[in-house]
Amino acid sequence: MKISENAPYSLSLYIHIPFCTRKCLYCDFLSFQADSMKKEKYVTALLNELSAWEQILKKSIKNPYNNNNTGLLYFNTVFIGGGTPTCLEPSQLLRIGQAVNKYTDENTEFTIEANPGTISGSHIEVFKKIGINRISLGVQSANNSELERLGRIHTYEDFYKSYQKLRKTGFDNINIDVMAGIPGQTLESYKDTLNRIAALNPQHISAYSLIVEPGTVFYKMQELGTLEAADEDTDREMYHITKELLKNYGYTRYEISNYSMQGKECIHNIAYWTGKNYLGAGLGASSYIDGIRFTSTKDFGKYLEIFSNYLPENNTLLQIQENINEDYIKLSDTDKMEEFMFLGLRMCKGVSKSTFADRFGVEMDKVYGDIINHYLQNNLLAEDTKSGRIYLTDKGLDISNYVLSDFILK
Amino acid sequence: MEKIEQSHIRNFCIIAHIDHGKSTLADRIIEMTGLLTSREMQAQVLDNMELERERGITIKAQTVRIVYKARNGEEYIFNLIDTPGHVDFNYEVSRSLAACEGAILIVDAAQGIEAQTLANCYLAIDHDLEVVPVINKIDLPSAEPARVKDEIEDIIGLDASDAPLVSAKNGINIEQVLEQIIEKIPAPSGDENGPFKAIIFDSVYDAYKGVIIFCRVFDGSVQKGQEILMMATGAKADVVETGVFGAGRFIPSDGLSAGMVGYITASLKNVQDTRVGDTVTLADNPCKEALPGYKKVQPMVYCGLYPSDGAKYPDLRDALEKLQLNDAALQFEAETSIALGFGFRCGFLGLLHLEIIQERLEREYSLDLVTTAPSVIYHVYKTNGSMVEVTNPSNLPDPSEIEHMEEPVVSAEIMVTKEFVGSIMTLCQERRGIYIGMEYMEETRALLKYELPLNEIIYDFFDALKSRSRGYASLDYDMKGYMPSKLVKLDILVNHEEIDALSFILHADTAYERGRKMCEKLKKEIPRQLFEIPIQAAIGSKIIARETVKAMRKDVLAKCYGGDISRKRKLLEKQKEGKKRMRQFGSVEIPQQAFMSVLKLDDDSK
């Protein structure tokens, strides 16, 4: 029996692996270098955290048919991200996968992020063993000097080899990350990257533009005036050709920076944008469960301290509570409406008026009518009257923050 | 009524530069006199307004009466009259001095005499006060008491040979100061039986008691029930209560007699009736003539104050009315701006006064304000022979009707150490100063004298002065009069629409530079919008500077940061907050910050 058929509700799982061989110059994600001892300690702690959650969730999920709850916990999607998950040894990934496998089956979308420079043959074997069926490869560019400028640890050729190996071993759902606005990048070299990547026929392409975030090397360079950033016109042009160019290869844009073949949208990400429950495990991971958002500690030492020991049932709740940092918030109805809009509108198909009304017991127009009309007039929003959906136009997608911020009601 | 022997009264004030230790010395004196337990001592008894403490300056004069048992065994009454310490309040200072027989001059043992000390000291000498020099902060490693003594003797010409060397902070040698007050400062010598005559040196409004007049009695006496007359304003009222000043509280007395300092409450509702410097006498037995020196204080600087939320207009009016109860120098009248809606044109003694009022409105009355560029009073002579006073650039008559314009000019004295003389002279030159002269006070310090247009001082002159002298220069100025000047009105157009709140009057020679800087600054302050926005500076119909805010083309958080929705939310909330602080002009949104930032243009050049 497939457990997905009896699962009482959908739950996604995110697992954070905060390690990298070297930090990229633009990266502000929670990641760092670590030696093998630290990594092993982290894996142990992570497994303990997962079993703590396992005990809590199994107790709280009620089976409507009988009182024996075991086995009803089920993950719709699992996403192992980072950092660089492939920084871990294959054996370590295997242990993590086995812990998760009790609650997954072949219907689970199980993704792992992989750096082309760190995937080995034995990694791929483990992927197969634990049921990983989707790979997300960050290549960023097909131009080696651009890769160097970004501080990436791999060449395009490394990527190409990894990609072919994955395809040969039967992976048929692969995402590739590419970046626009890389310092020194020209429109031509960006087009070249897109063409070469699309020609490989991956099922999914994430194309996003470089954002210089505080706390990164690029940010410091920008302050010093040594970052040779793409000028605005070029950056915009890159952004705009992406959609047209990828369309020729059969990709459809379904979110601000995500493109896929028919039916290959990333279910895990869509869960974030549609207010589904998800559990985040590992350092600094975010969760959303039953209307509550919370984030785990970002302090590596603290995390290890909390989860270094496996605690038997009844003691786990305390452990979990201790791990949650100050960002614990129970969403009000207003918060939920805001999120419904500003997350839902990230997707090209937008938000459904009837879903809104069903979920909140009030018409969307009653809450947001003025704002929606304002942006409909500006051609930043559009309405599909047949499906009753509101969505951002291409122009609206370009300046989505400007539009989405108006859906904050406070 | 028990009369206090005038021979046992000493009325004095303390003169000091900011930070030279006035409040601390006052605290020590109050402590030494033993009328207060140390528990009652607030850290600084005199400065008890929250705002004053933060800024380290005294805004409204306060006064304290203390009892000192001297070495000779006799008890003396000391009235320590506090004086505000800023050039904006020169007139108030002069009235406080008029209520005293003597002044303690505090000079910092490390820093020596500053321009402001000097100005106030001369003011005291002009009022025939006995000045008792005291050298403070002798505990500092950098203290040079001998040098500072010489300085006092050379610059002011006071005998400083027996000046007490004190540390107010550590309570060293305070008794010597107290003894010198008795020895050196003369006792009052008024006519105890003459008609009642007192000077108002401050007045405050109290919700329960009404107006409380702070006064110094010269002749005669006053008691509850008598009718008093304010000679300049003509206001009359029955005395409800008289009393003296405890530290931080009022102590009622049977009456006030010659030589005493105290307060009178009467059935008065408004401090406009009890102006600082006016003479109080009895209605049925008035004194022959008023005390000299009274003048009605006139605002020197004007600006528009607007609530950022238009609905708060009545709240702003209420708040201004309440502040005016206590501040006769504050003036306001309603005005309307196309850009900012309903607000008030307010008059202030100076920029500090303006900032204090603005801060009090924001802090005590929780109002969010937009302030327009401060303006002085321009005299506009029209071709038809009439003259109009203009404080709001929008009211400037059409150029064709203007024969010529005059602007107020001040005599400024700037004290500065030798090494910075050059940069300060450059600054004064840039601000259209006319060099009058320079005196070396001693080898290392000079007193620069300039005539400066007031409108060059009111923007950011203090800041520029401080930054170009590493904080060492000090400034004092006096109104000199009006001088003809080539003035023009500079307008700012955003998306081809004139923003009246950004217009201002300035000298023609500086218009280009300023117009250019304004446009640059506004370009930084106005966020990109859905379309391109030209920003122009214009004199009349002539455009003198232009910048363009490009249309917004990209504002997107491409990566979704895993499930970290909170981060995304915070970003959008911040953006929404920013939008709320915008004002809509036609189709353009301008952040309120932009109105303030264009007032401080010197920032960028440093």
Side-chain angles (χ1 to χ4, degrees), chain B residues 428-444:
Chain B
C428 292
Q429 229 56 254
E430 285 168 12
R431 302 300 174 103
R432 299 189 285 127
I434 296 168
Y435 176 76
I436 300 299
M438 178 169 69
E439 289 167 25
Y440 270 93
M441 309 308 294
E442 52 182 315
E443 263 179 48
T444 53

Side-chain angles (χ1 to χ4, degrees), chain A residues 134-193:
Chain A
R134 187 172 181 272
I135 313 281
S136 178
L137 278 177
V139 65
Q140 319 307 348
S141 167
N143 179 312
N144 284 335
S145 63
E146 286 169 13
L147 290 176
E148 204 174 307
R149 235 167 282 141
L150 290 171
R152 301 289 296 181
I153 57 164
H154 58 84
T155 60
Y156 180 74
E157 291 68 32
D158 293 336
F159 155 79
Y160 184 79
K161 272 181 233 154
S162 301
Y163 179 78
Q164 294 301 353
K165 208 174 338 173
L166 287 165
R167 290 306 290 261
K168 266 182 219 137
T169 39
F171 284 96
D172 57 1
N173 193 1
I174 296 179
N175 165 60
I176 297 174
D177 282 350
V178 298
M179 194 186 272
I182 298 169
Q185 190 178 39
T186 62
L187 187 60
E188 283 315 304
S189 77
Y190 177 67
K191 272 193 201 164
D192 180 56
T193 293

Side-chain angles (χ1 to χ4, degrees), chain A residues 337-338 341 364-372 407 409:
Chain A
M337 283 186 212
E338 291 169 358
M341 300 304 287
M364 186 187 280
D365 280 338
K366 191 138 191 206
V367 184
Y368 288 117
D370 289 348
I371 297 158
I372 291 172
F407 288 92
L409 292 163

